[in-house]
Amino acid sequence: MNSTWFRRFTTAAGDGPRLVCFPHAGGSATAFKDLAHALPAHFDVVSVQYPGRQDRYREEPFTALAPLVEAVARELARELAADRGRPYALFGHSMGSLVAFETARLLARQQLPGPQRLFVSGRGAPDAHGHIPYHLYDDADVLADVRRLGGTDQSMLEDPDVLELVLPALRADYGALGTYSWRPGEPLAAPVTALIGDSDPMVTAQEARTWERHTTGGFGLKVFPGGHFYLFDQLGQVAAALTEGLLTEAAAA
C-alpha cells in the first residue's frame, strides 16, 4: 500500500479481510501497532498516517477535516482498485471515528466499494456530539484536554523536545474538530459497531448509540472497562470484537 499514507506493522500482508485504522487527535499510525499483532495473522491490518507526525512531521498537518477526508479517501480508493474483491472494514478511535465515517460516506457518494463494517470508538455520532470550540483552544487548553483524557503517551507532554514535535499536529487536529460542521446525508449501507470505555469522559453508552441512525445495515455497541483510551488496556477484548465483526461480514459477503 501507499507508504506515505498507510503503515503495516506485521511482517507480511495477510490474505484475509483488511482493516484500515484511523488514529485519534494528535495520534499516529503506531497507535495501532499492538492491535495489528493481536488480530489474526491472516488479516491485513494497516494504519493511516496523517501528515505532520512521525516520519511525516515535515509535512503540514490538515487544519480542516474535509480536505483530510478527501485525501485519505483518494488514496484508499486507489488501493482498493489495486486489490479488488478483498473485503475491508474501517476502524477509527475518537477523532479517527469521525474521519473513518466521513471517508466511508465520501466513498459511497463516489459509488466506490464501501467497507464491510465501520467500527467507531470513543465518540458519539457527529450530529449528536455537542459542538466544542476546539479551534479556539490555545496550547495550554489542548494539553490540559490531552491530560484529562489520558492515554499511553502522557510522558511526551513532560519532554519539551518531544512536545515541540507533537504540538503542531495536536493544534491542527483540534482545529479540524472545532471547525467541523455536520452535513446530513444518506446513511451507510455497512453495519456500524460502536466501542467505548465505561468511564470515558467524552462519550456515554447513550451517546454512542446515536451511531445507529447512520446505518441501514445493523448496529452493535460494545462497552469495555476503562476510560477514553480503554483500547490500549483491553487489547485482547477489542481484537476479539473486531475479529468477530469483520469475519461475520466477510462470510456474509
Side-chain angles (χ1 to χ4, degrees):
M1 297 187 76
N2 183 314
S3 61
T4 302
W5 280 93
F6 302 104
R7 300 288 179 275
R8 183 181 285 116
F9 297 109
T10 51
T11 54
D15 58 3
R18 174 173 289 155
L19 182 68
V20 183
C21 303
F22 294 74
H24 55 282
S28 62
T30 52
F32 299 106
K33 182 178 181 179
D34 290 341
L35 179 64
H37 290 285
L39 287 164
H42 70 286
F43 279 17
D44 183 24
V45 184
V46 295
S47 302
V48 179
Q49 186 75 301
Y50 307 139
R53 57 216 78 201
Q54 291 189 333
D55 55 335
R56 300 189 71 184
Y57 80 95
R58 293 185 184 276
E59 300 177 50
E60 286 295 319
F62 284 89
T63 56
L65 204 77
L68 172 59
V69 168
E70 290 167 5
V72 173
R74 182 170 57 249
E75 296 300 329
L76 184 56
R78 184 177 294 125
E79 299 299 337
L80 296 175
D83 196 5
R84 294 184 185 276
R86 185 200 288 261
Y88 78 97
L90 306 181
F91 171 51
H93 178 65
S94 198
M95 184 188 87
S97 293
L98 191 54
V99 180
F101 171 66
E102 290 292 359
T103 297
R105 289 216 300 170
L106 182 54
L107 292 173
R109 289 197 298 271
Q110 295 175 347
Q111 299 184 328
L112 295 170
Q116 298 290 316
R117 183 177 289 270
L118 172 66
F119 297 95
V120 287
S121 169
R123 186 180 175 89
D127 58 332
H129 210 276
H131 181 72
I132 300 174
Y134 289 120
H135 58 298
L136 301 180
Y137 280 23
D138 60 19
D139 288 353
D141 295 328
V142 170
L143 293 175
D145 198 56
V146 172
R147 290 187 175 95
R148 177 178 70 92
L149 295 176
T152 59
D153 50 5
Q154 292 290 297
S155 59
M156 72 179 187
L157 305 181
E158 312 306 325
D159 186 327
D161 294 330
V162 175
L163 196 57
E164 185 178 355
L165 292 176
V166 301
L167 258 178
L170 273 169
R171 288 191 206 106
D173 290 351
Y174 271 68
L177 287 170
T179 56
Y180 169 78
S181 179
W182 160 251
R183 294 185 179 182
E186 292 295 318
L188 297 175
V192 173
T193 298
L195 306 91
I196 62 167
D198 60 6
S199 56
D200 189 337
M202 275 196 66
V203 59
T204 64
Q206 181 179 355
E207 290 167 336
R209 290 190 182 96
T210 57
W211 286 104
E212 185 171 9
R213 57 176 173 259
H214 294 285
T215 176
T216 60
F219 174 78
L221 174 63
K222 304 282 188 180
V223 181
F224 302 88
H228 188 60
F229 288 98
Y230 70 91
L231 65 169
F232 299 132
D233 298 321
Q234 308 296 332
L235 196 62
Q237 293 185 51
V238 172
L242 297 175
T243 300
E244 178 188 12
L246 189 48
L247 288 182
T248 298
E249 295 309 316

